[in-house]
Amino acid sequence: MKINLILLDSSLELVPKEIISHPAVIRNAKKRNKKAEHTLLDISLHYHAMKDLPNREKRGRPDIVHLAMLMFLTEQAPIKGDFYIHTIDSKLIYVNNEMRPPKNYNRFVGLAEQLLVYGKVPLNSNESLMKVLDIRLKDLKQKYKLGVLSEGGKRVKPEELCNLGEKWLLGIGAFPHGDFSEEVKEVADEYFSISNYKLETHQVICRLISSCLQQLGWP
Amino acid sequence: MKINLILLDSSLELVPKEIISHPAVIRNAKKRNKKAEHTLLDISLHYHAMKDLPNREKRGRPDIVHLAMLMFLTEQAPIKGDFYIHTIDSKLIYVNNEMRPPKNYNRFVGLAEQLLVYGKVPLNSNESLMKVLDIRLKDLKQKYKLGVLSEGGKRVKPEELCNLGEKWLLGIGAFPHGDFSEEVKEVADEYFSISNYKLETHQVICRLISSCLQQLGWP
């Protein structure tokens, strides 16, 4: 019993061209001795700079991705399947499920920047912990069926999702507000909902993991 | 069915006097326009400065406290009881369980610094979201029985802890390595273990919350 997981429309990207010369973007990059175009978009730093960006209510929240990665990858029990991150600008990232992501947010930011600038981390190794793939979300359909967790989906108990089988890839939105992109909607095979409450990304992962673990007798 | 939670020996403190004049401490404080004694001890910034600190393997990890707060306080379902943070230097902090902690780590650091410097947050309000109490851990025994989650404890399933009742306060270590302090050991009524694996703080909270929610039928 393994969970294959993909974060969808994840709010993880480098500062986009439109705001690359905004004073706040330049100031924050300078503080960290980085080029502006090599820094992550982060609403806690770039709130004002982001005010005219299209789709901005979904953008600039790498903390959501960080927390989701910590939730899934910390797990030692044998329930971790494949793990991918699909981003809001349609990148598809492979994540080695043995990876131990940095616990500290600022270190995570540094790592994600390296990933998005150079395409993989670590740089000097054949075996990648994270890698930007040259395929698209739709190409994963050759391998998986995509079940998307969504408020409007078919109501199920988390344990039912655990028992779907390893042919399924469970998709969870990793953005703060708004709806899934057209890209996601076009490839979703099924929508599921596990709560009457609006859940955050890490809460969904927590409920899924716990349900699988319980079926294994809480090892 | 509510969980009363306390984080124990939490790795949350201001930079201690012994290292207040270390160059790394001063440099990092200056970058943030803060006095060194008003900044949090953080191993990701102060690793070298901390090398001679007593008990250092338990110290300088505010990220553990941040993640634990996010796990517990994000929950909307009616299972959140009382919430306290006991720190490695024996402070006892009350946390309003309706509080929404900052998602961004750097904002959390700013908030925790304000709390530890001034004793409460927000400063200009009668109603505190977080407050340093003038009682000690042992004084909570007048109100609760303390059940401590620990690898060596009596093996139970998480759902059993959910059913202990609201007289119980469940204690979870919020430090990276090492054993509980003497202060904690002196007040613990019972030790429980919920896994064969060594769990991180946020994993314990996730399993507890999920077990309670399942008993409520995953509302």
Side-chain angles (χ1 to χ4, degrees):
Chain A
M1 187 186 313
K2 284 190 194 296
I3 306 173
N4 300 320
L5 195 72
I6 183 166
L7 304 177
L8 294 172
D9 289 342
S10 304
S11 196
L12 185 76
E13 61 182 316
L14 296 171
V15 169
K17 288 197 184 62
E18 300 100 298
I19 63 169
I20 206 78
S21 52
H22 189 284
V25 171
I26 292 174
R27 188 171 58 243
N28 281 297
K30 202 175 249 176
K31 257 193 204 168
R32 299 177 52 224
N33 293 321
K34 294 222 167 195
K35 293 186 196 174
E37 62 268 35
H38 288 185
T39 60
L40 279 194
L41 185 68
D42 188 332
I43 198 163
S44 80
L45 302 171
H46 305 135
Y47 181 81
H48 292 293
M50 286 172 67
K51 82 175 193 307
D52 294 323
L53 275 188
N55 210 8
R56 90 186 155 113
E57 80 283 359
K58 289 179 74 174
R59 302 171 72 176
R61 290 294 304 277
D63 59 294
I64 294 177
V65 179
H66 183 221
L67 189 47
M69 288 183 74
L70 288 176
M71 282 305 302
F72 190 64
L73 295 172
T74 307
E75 210 41 62
Q76 296 171 276
I79 56 164
K80 265 188 300 185
D82 303 335
F83 187 32
Y84 300 92
I85 300 172
H86 163 261
T87 70
I88 194 146
D89 55 354
S90 296
K91 287 190 179 66
L92 189 63
I93 297 161
Y94 155 85
V95 183
N96 183 326
N97 72 4
E98 298 285 312
M99 176 190 179
R100 296 158 54 106
K103 297 291 171 66
N104 181 278
Y105 176 68
N106 298 308
R107 301 221 168 179
F108 168 76
V109 167
L111 192 79
E113 287 167 345
Q114 201 184 100
L115 171 72
L116 294 177
V117 171
Y118 300 107
K120 63 174 188 172
V121 286
L123 277 178
N124 43 9
S125 164
N126 285 330
E127 192 121 353
S128 295
L129 292 175
M130 300 177 80
K131 190 177 180 179
V132 181
L133 300 175
D134 51 14
I135 58 171
R136 293 290 170 146
L137 181 61
K138 68 175 165 44
D139 301 316
L140 287 179
K141 303 270 290 179
Q142 294 171 17
K143 190 169 175 191
Y144 308 99
K145 292 187 76 149
L146 181 65
V148 175
L149 279 283
S150 171
E151 286 170 270
K154 175 184 160 199
R155 184 61 194 269
V156 294
K157 290 187 190 298
E159 49 266 40
E160 298 176 54
L161 298 181
C162 255
N163 291 326
L164 284 177
E166 295 177 26
K167 182 76 192 152
W168 283 82
L169 180 63
L170 292 175
I172 305 176
F175 52 87
H177 304 290
D179 198 8
F180 285 106
S181 61
E182 288 308 313
E183 186 186 17
V184 167
K185 289 181 188 166
E186 275 162 24
V187 298
D189 288 295
E190 188 89 69
Y191 290 92
F192 300 110
S193 163
I194 58 170
S195 177
N196 298 329
Y197 294 91
K198 195 166 162 49
L199 299 184
E200 297 188 11
T201 312
H202 68 279
Q203 293 180 295
V204 179
I205 298 174
C206 163
R207 284 155 167 73
L208 282 178
I209 288 176
S210 297
S211 294
C212 286
L213 289 173
Q214 199 194 23
Q215 292 182 57
L216 295 175
W218 295 111
Chain B
M1 187 187 314
K2 283 191 197 295
I3 306 173
N4 300 319
L5 195 72
I6 184 166
L7 304 177
L8 295 172
D9 289 342
S10 304
S11 196
L12 185 75
E13 62 182 314
L14 297 171
V15 170
K17 288 199 184 59
E18 300 101 297
I19 64 169
I20 205 79
S21 50
H22 189 284
V25 171
I26 293 174
R27 189 172 56 242
N28 280 297
K30 201 175 250 177
K31 256 192 205 168
R32 298 177 51 224
N33 293 321
K34 293 222 167 196
K35 293 186 196 174
E37 63 268 34
H38 288 186
T39 60
L40 280 196
L41 185 67
D42 187 331
I43 198 164
S44 79
L45 302 171
H46 306 134
Y47 182 79
H48 293 293
M50 287 172 67
K51 81 177 193 308
D52 295 323
L53 275 189
N55 210 7
R56 91 185 151 114
E57 80 283 0
K58 289 179 73 175
R59 301 171 73 176
R61 291 292 305 275
D63 59 295
I64 295 177
V65 179
H66 182 222
L67 189 47
M69 289 184 72
L70 287 177
M71 281 305 304
F72 191 64
L73 295 172
T74 306
E75 210 41 64
Q76 296 172 276
I79 56 164
K80 265 187 301 185
D82 303 335
F83 187 32
Y84 301 93
I85 300 172
H86 163 261
T87 69
I88 193 143
D89 55 353
S90 295
K91 288 190 177 66
L92 190 64
I93 298 161
Y94 155 85
V95 183
N96 182 328
N97 71 5
E98 299 284 313
M99 176 190 179
R100 297 157 54 106
K103 297 289 170 68
N104 181 278
Y105 176 68
N106 299 308
R107 301 224 167 174
F108 168 76
V109 167
L111 192 80
E113 286 167 345
Q114 201 183 101
L115 170 72
L116 294 176
V117 171
Y118 300 107
K120 63 174 188 172
V121 287
L123 277 177
N124 44 8
S125 163
N126 285 329
E127 191 121 356
S128 295
L129 292 176
M130 301 177 79
K131 190 177 179 179
V132 180
L133 300 175
D134 52 12
I135 59 171
R136 294 287 170 151
L137 181 62
K138 66 173 166 44
D139 301 316
L140 287 180
K141 305 267 291 178
Q142 295 172 18
K143 191 169 176 191
Y144 309 98
K145 295 188 74 150
L146 181 64
V148 175
L149 277 283
S150 170
E151 286 169 270
K154 174 183 160 202
R155 185 61 195 267
V156 295
K157 290 186 191 296
E159 50 265 41
E160 297 175 54
L161 298 181
C162 253
N163 291 326
L164 283 176
E166 294 178 27
K167 183 76 191 151
W168 284 81
L169 181 61
L170 292 175
I172 305 177
F175 52 87
H177 304 288
D179 198 8
F180 285 107
S181 61
E182 288 308 314
E183 185 185 19
V184 168
K185 289 179 187 167
E186 275 162 23
V187 298
D189 289 294
E190 188 88 69
Y191 291 93
F192 301 110
S193 164
I194 58 169
S195 177
N196 297 329
Y197 294 91
K198 195 167 163 47
L199 299 184
E200 298 189 11
T201 312
H202 69 277
Q203 293 179 295
V204 178
I205 297 173
C206 162
R207 283 154 167 74
L208 282 177
I209 288 176
S210 297
S211 294
C212 287
L213 289 174
Q214 197 195 24
Q215 292 182 58
L216 294 176
W218 296 110

